[in-house]
Amino acid sequence: LASSQANINDTNSSPPGNRGFQSYYGNIQLGTPPQHFRVVFDTGSSDIWIPSVECNSAACEAHSRFKHTNSSSYSTSHVPFSLNYGSGGLIGQVGADTMHIGGVAVPDVHVGLATHMSRFFRTAQFDGVFGLGFPGLTRIQSQPPLYAMVQAGLLEKPIFSFWVREGHGGQHAGGEVVLGGVNPKRFEGTARTLPIVRKMYWEVELNGLLINDYPVPRISSQTAIIDTGTSLIVLPATDADAVNQFLGAVPLFDEYGLYAIDCHKGNKPTIKFVLAGETFAIRPSHYILPVGRGRCVTAFAASTSPDLSRWVIGNSFLRAWHTTFDVENFEIKLAQAVQADDTSESESSENDSASEAVASASSQLERIVEALATAHPTTSQSPSVTAKPKKTQSSTAKVKPKKLTVSSRASPKTTSSSAETPATVPVHHHTIE
C-alpha cells in the first residue's frame, strides 16, 4: 500500500487573524465508485456516519448525501441507529461499504446513514463524523472504522496522531492526522505519556490547573477527555467559574457558558494543565478568542449540561500540543507542537484586532452557541474494548503496511474541497467559529 496524503481544512469564514473558533474537516470517500464527503475526525465518538440520499430534511439537503444505489459494493444491514446530541440528533440505518481514506481502500466498513438530521446540522461545514473513540462508545453496534483498518492490516502501527496548526500571520489554520504513525516534523522535544483511565473515552487523570504557577482552587473534576471534536475547553459550571474568575473573566452570556475577557494578550498569563502528573502549558493566544466587535472570550467554557463531571479538552489546547493516541497500549503522548511560520504574540494580536473590526458578532455567537450546546452521544454501555488491535506483520517491504497521512493545509470554508489534495480526511467536529 502506498502512503498518501489528505488535507484537513479549516471552516473559519472570518479573516485569517480571527482564528479563535475553528472547526476542521477533511474528505473521505465511500462506495464503488467513490462518493466524496467532508467529515470530522472525532476522538469523542466511535462511529462513522454521513447523510443518506433517503434523507430529505433541510439539514441533509444542505450536504452531500450517500447514494447507496450507485455503489456496487454496498450492502445493508437493516439495523436502525440513532445519535442524540445536546442540540439535536439524527436517525437512520446502518450499511456497509468500501471506504477510501488517504488513498487506501478499507472494505466492509459499517456506516450510519442518516435518514433524518436535526436543524442543528444545517449550517455545519462537514457532512458527517469519523469517530476515533473506543468500541465501548459505538452506537451503531459495529466495529469502529479505525479498528477495521487495524484488523485489515492497513496501518503500520495501531496508533494515530494529530497536529493542529494555528492560523495567523496571513496563514490559514489547518492540521495533519496520521493514521498508523506520527510525523516527527510536527513536534519537538520528548513526548510525555498519559495513561488512559478507562477504555471508553480518551480520558486521562486531571490533577489541576496552574495560572501564573498558582493552582486554581475549587477544581472538582479529576479526569479530562482529550477530544479532537471540540473547539473549546468545556468544563463543569463550577470549574468554569473558578478558572475564569482567576483570569478576571466575567460571564458574557450565562446561557451559553461563555466568559468575556480583555482582548489584549500581552499582560495575560500562561496557563498550565497538570495531567497524569505532567505539566502542559498554553499561551494567551490559545485561550483568548475574538468573537467580533472588539470582544473576546476565554476558551474555558461552562458546559450547558449539568451532568458533565469531566473536562473536555479540545483544539484550544491541541494547537499547542501534538497528540498521539495509542490504541494498543491505551495511552496518549503529548509533545510540544511545532507551528510552521509561527508569528510573535504581538503580531498575532494585531491580526486579531484587525479581524475583530470586520467580524460579524451575530454569526460568530450563533456558531458558538451551537458548538457549546453540542455534546457527544451518550451510551449506557460499560467501558470495554471489544477488540484489541493486533500488530501487523510483514514478510517483505513490498507488502508492509504504511502510514496514512492526513496532512493539512487549511483553507477558508468558502474554498471548494475539490481544490484540495485528493483523499482528504477530517480532524474536527464542533463547528465553532
Side-chain angles (χ1 to χ4, degrees):
L1 301 175
S3 296
S4 55
Q5 293 186 341
N7 290 332
I8 297 169
N9 304 306
D10 159 34
T11 66
N12 191 352
S13 60
S14 303
N18 194 359
R19 65 192 188 285
F21 299 96
Q22 293 174 337
S23 178
Y24 301 88
Y25 66 83
N27 294 337
I28 63 169
Q29 297 81 41
L30 189 69
T32 307
Q35 300 174 42
H36 294 252
F37 300 91
R38 292 177 172 177
V39 293
V40 169
F41 285 132
D42 180 23
T43 57
S45 63
S46 295
D47 298 313
I48 179 172
W49 65 263
I50 55 175
S52 167
V53 69
E54 296 180 352
C55 180
N56 296 316
S57 63
C60 287
E61 291 180 346
H63 294 88
S64 297
R65 293 176 287 178
F66 180 62
K67 302 176 179 63
H68 60 275
T69 55
N70 290 359
S71 175
S72 61
S73 51
Y74 173 78
S75 62
T76 183
S77 66
H78 299 290
V79 174
F81 84 98
S82 63
L83 294 175
N84 183 29
Y85 296 86
S87 54
L90 54 99
I91 60 174
Q93 286 195 339
V94 179
D97 211 330
T98 299
M99 178 185 69
H100 304 263
I101 181 171
V104 175
V106 189
D108 298 321
V109 173
H110 287 79
V111 180
L113 300 175
T115 54
H116 178 79
M117 295 168 57
S118 297
R119 180 184 175 185
F120 162 73
F121 297 102
R122 184 173 57 86
T123 58
Q125 296 302 308
F126 55 86
D127 301 313
V129 170
F130 188 109
L132 289 166
F134 289 104
L137 280 180
T138 180
R139 299 306 303 273
I140 66 175
Q141 305 304 314
S142 299
Q143 188 181 50
L146 180 73
Y147 284 79
M149 298 179 73
V150 170
Q151 289 198 345
L154 298 176
L155 300 183
E156 184 174 298
K157 297 178 181 178
I159 64 175
F160 60 96
S161 57
F162 273 77
W163 169 73
V164 181
R165 183 177 64 215
E166 300 179 42
H168 55 65
Q171 176 178 293
H172 291 303
E176 180 177 85
V177 180
V178 180
L179 303 180
V182 299
N183 183 349
K185 295 180 180 180
R186 301 307 188 191
F187 61 91
E188 59 187 5
T190 302
R192 288 173 277 171
T193 301
L194 311 180
I196 301 302
V197 298
R198 63 174 185 152
K199 303 178 186 72
M200 181 173 283
Y201 293 101
W202 289 97
E203 187 175 356
V204 300
E205 183 181 81
L206 172 66
N207 307 118
L209 192 76
L210 305 176
I211 298 179
N212 275 338
D213 290 326
Y214 289 98
V216 177
R218 305 187 305 278
I219 296 297
S220 62
S221 298
Q222 297 180 346
T223 62
I225 297 169
I226 307 301
D227 185 3
T228 61
T230 296
S231 292
L232 303 179
I233 300 165
V234 183
L235 319 180
T238 54
D239 287 0
D241 280 341
V243 172
N244 282 289
Q245 286 177 16
F246 216 87
L247 288 171
V250 296
L252 178 61
F253 297 109
D254 288 340
E255 63 269 34
Y256 303 151
L258 298 174
Y259 294 79
I261 192 169
D262 175 19
C263 291
H264 182 62
K265 301 179 177 68
N267 61 350
K268 299 299 189 301
T270 295
I271 295 179
K272 298 177 181 177
F273 293 73
V274 186
L275 305 172
E278 299 281 354
T279 302
F280 304 92
I282 62 173
R283 304 191 311 270
S285 60
H286 297 127
Y287 68 82
I288 298 179
L289 312 173
V291 293
R293 296 184 181 178
R295 293 185 296 180
C296 289
V297 298
T298 77
F300 296 93
S303 172
T304 57
S305 169
D307 299 326
L308 183 68
S309 61
R310 296 157 291 191
W311 289 20
V312 181
I313 298 178
N315 285 333
S316 293
F317 174 88
L318 298 179
R319 285 198 289 272
W321 294 96
H322 178 278
T323 310
T324 301
F325 300 84
D326 191 324
V327 175
E328 184 173 53
N329 295 313
F330 308 121
E331 62 188 23
I332 291 174
K333 292 185 177 180
L334 295 177
Q336 189 76 51
V338 172
Q339 294 292 336
D341 301 324
D342 205 0
T343 60
S344 68
E345 199 77 78
S346 60
E347 288 173 336
S348 63
S349 178
E350 291 175 359
N351 290 331
D352 289 347
S353 299
S355 64
E356 289 163 18
V358 298
S360 167
S362 59
S363 63
Q364 290 287 336
L365 292 174
E366 178 183 1
R367 292 184 177 89
I368 295 171
V369 173
E370 289 179 344
L372 290 179
T374 303
H376 288 299
T378 57
T379 175
S380 60
Q381 300 177 23
S382 59
S384 62
V385 176
T386 58
K388 185 176 181 180
K390 299 180 295 184
K391 290 183 178 180
T392 56
Q393 296 181 351
S394 57
S395 55
T396 66
K398 183 180 296 184
V399 297
K400 183 178 180 180
K402 299 297 180 66
K403 294 181 291 187
L404 302 178
T405 302
V406 181
S407 60
S408 290
R409 179 172 64 85
S411 61
K413 68 181 179 182
T414 53
T415 301
S416 171
S417 61
S418 61
E420 302 300 327
T421 305
T424 322
V425 185
V427 166
H428 199 168
H429 167 200
H430 287 176
T431 306
I432 302 187
E433 297 181 272

